[in-house]
Amino acid sequence: MNGSLSANKELVSAISAGLYKCPDVEVLVCPPAGYLSQVRELIGSAAMKLGAQNLSEQAQPGAFTGEMHGDMIRDLGASHVIVGHSERRALYGESNELVAQKVQTAIALGLSPVLCLGETLAQRDGGQMETVLSQQLGAVLELLGAESFANIIIAYEPVWAIGTGRTASAEQAQSAHAFIRGLISDRNATIGGSVRILYGGSVKPGNAAELFSGADVDGGLIGGASLKSADFLGICEAAQAQ
């Protein structure tokens, strides 16, 4: 829940001006819902795509005060939507089943969902990482099947490495990504081999190249560093160099 009209203009303009250094990097920006129209205008013809941070699971518009329907998101110029972010799961109690329903709705309405998965510190220290990831991913697999991941981007965000000063090592990130890819490949090897899996956990210009070096790490879901144009562009340059 960051941003203002003036801050958005400064940030997006600076990012747009620096992307010429990263012609092979796909960039998606996901502002708060109230700023989607402004950011769409700021992006203009720049090589960036627009996404929302959440959507309603409801397939049809209706009397759901405060919710944002997928048709509204598309009407505002967005092509993607983040689903199941760790903060939505932790702060707003979104279950694996609800997240799966949101993924289903997003795809049905022509949006590309960015499905977030990840374990807490207690779960990692308790040796439950694989169990948690299996349950989170499994809810979507059971509802939609492996073939649906042709239209889904996955973002692995270890909750213990978000805003804590701790960062997963390149080896830890690669291990988790390989496990996630394996769960999909067990059902459909072609889809599993092609699905994009982003890493989201305190990615910075100084560690991006190492994190992105993993064979199963296809990019990043950037949090705090996305609010500083120099940092975000530094991460984009690290991705370009891969």
Side-chain angles (χ1 to χ4, degrees):
M1 197 163 64
N2 290 285
S4 67
L5 293 174
S6 59
N8 296 343
K9 184 176 181 179
E10 180 180 354
L11 178 62
V12 177
S13 298
I15 291 173
S16 296
L19 281 180
Y20 71 92
K21 297 180 181 179
C22 313
D24 300 321
V25 176
E26 184 177 357
V27 176
L28 169 69
V29 293
C30 298
Y35 296 125
L36 282 168
S37 291
Q38 182 210 15
V39 174
R40 179 189 61 186
E41 295 300 321
L42 290 171
I43 288 174
S45 60
M48 284 190 279
K49 295 182 179 180
L50 181 66
Q53 296 182 358
N54 187 34
L55 86 163
S56 170
E57 74 277 12
Q58 301 297 329
Q60 300 296 327
F64 305 102
T65 301
E67 290 294 294
M68 191 161 190
H69 189 263
D71 282 346
M72 299 175 183
I73 293 171
R74 286 195 301 106
D75 200 31
L76 290 171
S79 56
H80 293 67
V81 60
I82 297 173
V83 181
H85 190 279
S86 60
E87 291 164 359
R88 299 295 312 176
R89 294 178 187 265
L91 300 179
Y92 300 98
E94 293 194 0
S95 66
N96 295 335
E97 291 70 27
L98 177 59
V99 170
Q101 290 172 18
K102 289 190 174 190
V103 171
Q104 182 180 48
T105 298
I107 293 174
L109 296 175
L111 292 167
S112 298
V114 180
L115 170 64
C116 297
L117 313 172
E119 77 283 6
T120 65
L121 178 61
Q123 289 166 337
R124 170 165 278 270
D125 288 347
Q128 298 177 299
M129 181 197 76
E130 292 188 356
T131 298
V132 171
L133 295 180
S134 295
Q135 292 172 344
Q136 292 174 340
L137 189 63
V140 180
L141 285 168
E142 290 303 316
L143 182 64
L144 297 174
E147 291 69 25
S148 67
F149 283 84
N151 300 304
I152 297 171
I153 299 169
I154 298 174
Y156 170 63
E157 46 164 7
V159 182
W160 52 272
I162 300 174
T164 63
R166 295 179 58 175
T167 306
S169 66
E171 292 76 15
Q172 288 172 319
Q174 166 58 25
S175 176
H177 283 226
F179 177 74
I180 292 168
R181 193 179 300 281
L183 291 174
I184 300 171
S185 295
D186 286 345
R187 300 192 180 209
N188 187 311
T190 300
I191 297 295
S194 62
V195 65
R196 285 181 291 175
I197 308 176
L198 313 179
Y199 172 77
S202 297
V203 180
K204 300 178 177 63
N207 62 24
E210 183 178 9
L211 287 167
F212 295 165
S213 66
D216 294 297
V217 180
D218 302 312
L221 179 71
I222 314 304
S226 68
L227 302 177
K228 301 177 181 179
S229 59
D231 286 354
F232 186 73
L233 288 169
I235 293 169
C236 290
E237 290 176 26
Q240 173 70 29
Q242 295 297 311

